[in-house]
Amino acid sequence: MAERSRARVGVLISGRGSNMLALLYAARQADCPYVIALVVANDPEAPGLAFARAEGVATFGLSHKGRKRADFDALVDAELRSAGIEYVALAGYMRLLSDDFVARWAGRIVNIHPSLLPRHKGLDTHARALAEGDRVAGCTVHVVTEALDDGPVLGQTEVAILPGDTPDSLAARVLIAEHQLYSRTLAAFVLREAAQPLLSPQSRRA
Ligand code: GRF
């Protein structure tokens, strides 16, 4: 797919960035409909930023500390817009977004969450799945709305829970599923959105 017809995606991370890399490597396939055009972190030392830089991707690292949430989000928003970003993918972004930021990107932010939503919203998903005796864990990609881990589900992958699993052993298998689910789901999402101008003059990408 021609570079200029690919959707420009900005990825927001806070840490190691393995999901960001999965999105980035998937985008190297010729038929991938998106390109990772910017990686943003709320920690300039986030390991994922160094990985993105090494891959030749533009980065923006800025600590949120000492800044009001709305002010920090406005700076991130300005970076995304100046990079011509059309979609935002949260990938281990450990900050709640301000309602204003979510409203500005309404319908164009997606997130990956390491549980089968609506089960286990929030943190410590794997420990909670084990503590509650779940037989199946998994991951979810969803559209981001103002409510935490609550927007429309775009895709899910189930991961079996084994006897003797620990939160770490389960997380490791769920992460494999995350890496596969996210890029496929994001690709389908941007293609679906790109097709909408044919159906509706109100499309956000028009
Ligand atoms: C992933 O498990 C993701 O689902 C969760 O945080 C973790 C981030 O890992 N939101 P990574 O930074 O993508 O490696």
Side-chain angles (χ1 to χ4, degrees), residues 16-19 92 112-114 178:
R16 66 187 167 183
S18 72
N19 275 289
I112 186 148
H113 184 76
E178 290 183 46

Side-chain angles (χ1 to χ4, degrees), residues 162-185:
L162 276 57
D165 252 337
T166 65
D168 283 350
S169 67
L170 179 56
R173 292 201 308 287
V174 171
L175 193 62
I176 296 170
E178 290 183 46
H179 292 166
Q180 298 182 34
L181 178 69
Y182 210 178
S183 55
R184 284 172 176 241
T185 307

Side-chain angles (χ1 to χ4, degrees), residues 13-20 90-94 111-115 126 139 171 174-175 178-179:
I13 64 170
S14 295
R16 66 187 167 183
S18 72
N19 275 289
M20 176 275 295
L90 308 182
Y93 190 61
M94 302 305 285
N111 180 44
I112 186 148
H113 184 76
S115 80
H126 305 303
C139 52
V174 171
L175 193 62
E178 290 183 46
H179 292 166

Side-chain angles (χ1 to χ4, degrees), residues 12 18 30 32 44 50 59 76 119 150 163-164 169 189 200-201 205:
L12 271 53
S18 72
C32 186
T59 62
V76 172
R119 279 188 79 67
D150 194 55
S169 67
F189 184 65
S200 162
R205 289 190 66 199

Side-chain angles (χ1 to χ4, degrees), residues 25-86:
Y25 296 148
R28 294 209 165 133
Q29 297 302 311
D31 61 349
C32 186
Y34 68 82
V35 60
I36 303 302
L38 180 67
V39 174
V40 174
N42 63 314
D43 172 3
E45 304 301 318
L49 279 183
F51 296 142
R53 277 194 291 269
E55 300 292 351
V57 177
T59 62
F60 177 66
L62 180 70
S63 175
H64 63 271
K65 290 179 185 160
R67 291 184 167 86
K68 287 183 183 159
R69 188 179 306 279
D71 293 346
F72 181 79
D73 285 0
L75 291 170
V76 172
D77 179 68
E79 286 294 319
L80 294 167
R81 287 178 194 281
S82 70
I85 297 302
E86 298 169 282

